[in-house]
Structures are given as structure tokens and as C-alpha cells.
Amino acid sequence: MTQETQRKQRILSGIQPTGTFTLGNYIGAVRNWGVLQQEYECLYMVANLHALTVRQTPADLRQQTRQAAAMLLATGIDPKQSILFVQSHVPAHAELAWVLACNTQFGELSRMTQFKDKSAKHADNVNAGLFTYPALMAADILLYNADLVPVGADQKQHLELTRNVAQRFNNLYSPTFQLPEPYIPKTGARVMSLQEPEKKMSKSDTNANSYILMTDDADTILRKCKRAVTDSDGVVRSGEDKPGVTNLMSIYSALTGKDFASIEAEFQGQGYGVFKEAVAQSIIDVFSPIQQEYARILADKAYLDEVLQDGAQRAGRLAGRTLQKVYKKVGMLQL
Ligand code: TYM
């Protein structure tokens, strides 16, 4: 490692391979990942262990893990610059998660809104993994001593818990972990459902019109945008009283770089039809080159395997060092 890279700050982030990524995943997190790799030392992870907290079909999960990695490469993550890996390929994640779970309180985990939401949604499977999920996420981040974690707003609470657990561990056992900062985009940190704009856009939503997938073709994107719920006053303006229009404006703003004032001016007196078509076009313009690249990468199995092998080795080396330190500090017998 050169002195130059040693001085670079480190980034880690992850995404679950529980389905095709949505526009929310893209705007809230993934699109920043490629940009950040210019300036930081980055690790990006397909969080397949996290996916087990909800029932998965094994063959689908395997396939979606490959697809997730291919999609991340297609969005511009360069495996020479960044480390791209699959969580289960680095066993230290599960190992550190156990140690951290033993340093995380039941009360803290009970306050996590994601746990409350998911246990309400999957009432037949409120498993222990769903509850201790934030300890695994803390392990993901702390293993690499990440300085920054680029995520959407819904992950902020997990980041706060990670900091608390790290601080507690440092106080108890001596300084070990870097306290990570969340990196949340100003626009698009919370992309909302196109059908119920008071809810987050989510790939697990039962209504396919509520989300746009990164693999949706141009016609589907246009149709979903046209069907997006707005309101009856027909004016393109943001505000708490206009959640549907505000959401579409945020998407358009995030993808075109235009601020709300210029978007309002652009569509003044034009009604929602023209506006929705423009929003759809801004999405199509960004997604179609990514989709071409995605198809190309996914077809090249040997390349994808090589990237993930290399990622697992590089991440494994870094993670192993932290885990050994931690095991020593907490009193695990070393042979
Ligand atoms: P996941 O897989 O649910 O989502 C991946 C990323 O996409 C962001 N995101 C959104 N951003 C804006 N609007 C939305 N509607 C939207 N939906 C999702 C999420 O905030 C996230 O950044 N626990 C994480 C995965 C994870 C992780 C980590 C992240 C595991 N380990 C370590 C950071 C660091 C999750 O379930 O993300």
C-alpha cells in the first residue's frame, strides 16, 4: 500500500440482493458509490447474509446475488479501484457480528424502526436474525474501520446504533473501532412509493406500480410514471400538501441536477402529463446505458466470478486483521 492510499478515508456500504434494485436504491445510495471511489478507498458489498432475515428461495437468492454484483459493476463500480465482494464470502462478518451482538442491548435493538416494520410485515417469521440484524450491519462497517457509509435515510438509525456499539466497545476494551459517519444525499435520500407517496419506495412492495426497477424497460418506466399518484390541482410545485408531486420533483432533481425552483419554472402552466413524461425520460436516459452494460456483464460469468473471488480475498485480508484484534481483546484463546 502506498502512503497515498493509506491517507485516503475509507468507505463501506452494502445492499441486499432481495430482488432487482429500485430507483430508490439507485438514487439514495448506489449512484453515489461509483462517484465516491475517485476520492476514497471503497468497499462495496452484496449483503446476502442480511437477506436471510426474510424467507428466500435458495436458487433465486444465488442468482440475485450474481445479478446484484453485475448491476453494481454496471453502475460504474470499478473493481480495480474498489473492493466489490459478497458478504458470505468473508466469514469474519458473521464472527464479528456475534461479538457485537453480545455488546448490544435488547432495548437498543427493540427501538429499530426497520425491525418493527419488517416484523409487522412478516408476522409469521419474526426470527432472531431479523432482531439482531443491526449487529451484523455494525460488523460489516466496523470490520473495515470505515469513516463514511453512503446510505439512504432509512439506514440512519442503524448507523447511529453502529456508532454507539463501537464507542461502547472502545470504552470497554480500549480504542479499536473508527466511529463511522453516515453519508446521506441531499436530494433523493428517501424516494417514495409512486402509489402511496407517504411510504418509502421498496422492492418488496406488493404493488409493482409503486416502484421502478433498474431493469424496467422504457415503456414500463413511462407507464409507471404516468400512473404515479399526484393530486388534483395540476400545479408542479413542492410542498407537504403535495407528496406525490414532490416525490416526482425529487427524482427529477436528483437525476438532472435541476433545483426545485427551476423545475417549477420549467413546467409552469403545463400540467402533470408533460411533467410525468419528462420525469420518465430522465430515468430512461440514466437507466438504459446501465441496462446494456448489466446484460453484458451478467453474460460473462468468468469475469464476474473473478471479480468476486478477488474482492473476497482483498476484503477477507482486511477483515481478518480486525477480527483477530477483537478476539484478542475480548479474551478468545489464541493458539
Ligand atoms: P437495502 O438493501 O434495503 O438498500 C440499499 C441502499 O438503498 C437505500 N434505499 C433507499 N434510498 C432512498 N430511497 C429509497 N426508497 C430507498 N430504498 C433503499 C438504502 O438506504 C441503502 O443505502 N441494511 C442495508 C444493507 C447493508 C448495509 C451494510 C448498508 C448491510 N450492511 C453496511 C451500509 C453498511 C439494507 O438493507 O439496505
Side-chain angles (χ1 to χ4, degrees), residues 76-132:
I77 289 171
D78 174 358
K80 293 203 182 70
Q81 258 182 322
S82 303
I83 300 181
L84 175 66
F85 69 103
V86 173
Q87 190 179 29
S88 66
H89 293 164
V90 181
H93 288 252
E95 294 175 89
L96 183 63
W98 175 253
V99 177
L100 296 181
C102 296
N103 286 279
T104 308
Q105 299 303 303
F106 182 88
E108 289 181 298
L109 293 170
S110 309
R111 284 194 289 277
M112 296 293 112
T113 52
Q114 184 170 303
F115 171 69
K116 290 185 209 163
D117 291 351
K118 284 205 174 173
S119 46
K121 211 162 161 185
H122 305 275
D124 58 333
N125 184 24
V126 184
N127 61 76
L130 190 64
F131 188 64
T132 57

Side-chain angles (χ1 to χ4, degrees), residues 12-18 21-30 33 45 47 50 87 114 118 133 136-138 140-141 149-156 158-159 185 188-193 199-203:
L12 176 125
S13 199
I15 186 159
Q16 294 196 58
T18 44
F21 301 166
T22 66
L23 179 65
N25 293 134
Y26 180 73
I27 293 179
V30 172
W33 295 3
M45 175 188 81
H50 277 99
Q87 190 179 29
Q114 184 170 303
K118 284 205 174 173
Y133 176 118
L136 177 58
M137 183 160 159
D140 300 336
I141 298 165
V149 182
V151 283
D154 63 328
Q155 295 300 320
K156 194 164 171 240
H158 290 156
L159 252 295
R190 208 173 155 78
V191 177
M192 309 309 275
S193 155
K199 261 178 45 184
K200 180 185 86 162
M201 181 183 284
S202 162
K203 54 196 165 211

Side-chain angles (χ1 to χ4, degrees), residues 154-302:
D154 63 328
Q155 295 300 320
K156 194 164 171 240
Q157 201 185 24
H158 290 156
L159 252 295
E160 279 158 12
L161 180 74
T162 301
R163 287 174 60 90
N164 291 341
V165 172
Q167 183 126 47
R168 184 174 312 142
F169 190 99
N170 288 350
N171 290 341
L172 209 55
Y173 295 103
S174 80
T176 309
F177 297 124
Q178 170 72 27
L179 300 194
E181 295 285 342
Y183 178 100
I184 296 173
K186 285 200 181 70
T187 325
R190 208 173 155 78
V191 177
M192 309 309 275
S193 155
L194 299 181
Q195 291 299 312
E196 295 167 82
E198 50 295 322
K199 261 178 45 184
K200 180 185 86 162
M201 181 183 284
S202 162
K203 54 196 165 211
S204 60
D205 202 309
T206 47
N207 182 352
N209 284 322
S210 71
Y211 51 72
I212 288 173
L213 297 178
M214 290 190 70
T215 49
D216 279 346
D217 61 27
D219 288 348
T220 308
I221 294 172
L222 186 59
R223 179 171 46 78
K224 288 181 177 177
C225 285
K226 281 189 169 165
R227 286 193 187 166
V229 168
T230 46
D231 50 54
S232 54
D233 83 353
V235 180
V236 177
R237 170 179 64 74
S238 67
E240 270 177 30
D241 54 329
K242 294 168 72 71
V245 173
T246 305
N247 186 37
L248 292 174
M249 287 177 73
S250 302
I251 293 169
Y252 190 63
S253 168
L255 296 180
T256 60
K258 296 175 185 172
D259 62 18
F260 277 14
S262 64
I263 298 171
E264 283 178 22
E266 185 178 348
F267 296 101
Q268 199 179 19
Q270 297 207 53
Y272 294 149
V274 178
F275 172 55
K276 285 176 168 179
E277 274 177 33
V279 175
Q281 196 56 51
S282 70
I283 301 168
I284 295 164
D285 288 347
V286 173
F287 280 0
S288 34
I290 294 176
Q291 289 171 358
Q292 282 176 20
E293 196 52 10
Y294 171 64
R296 192 184 65 75
I297 295 167
L298 199 58
D300 193 348
K301 187 169 177 297

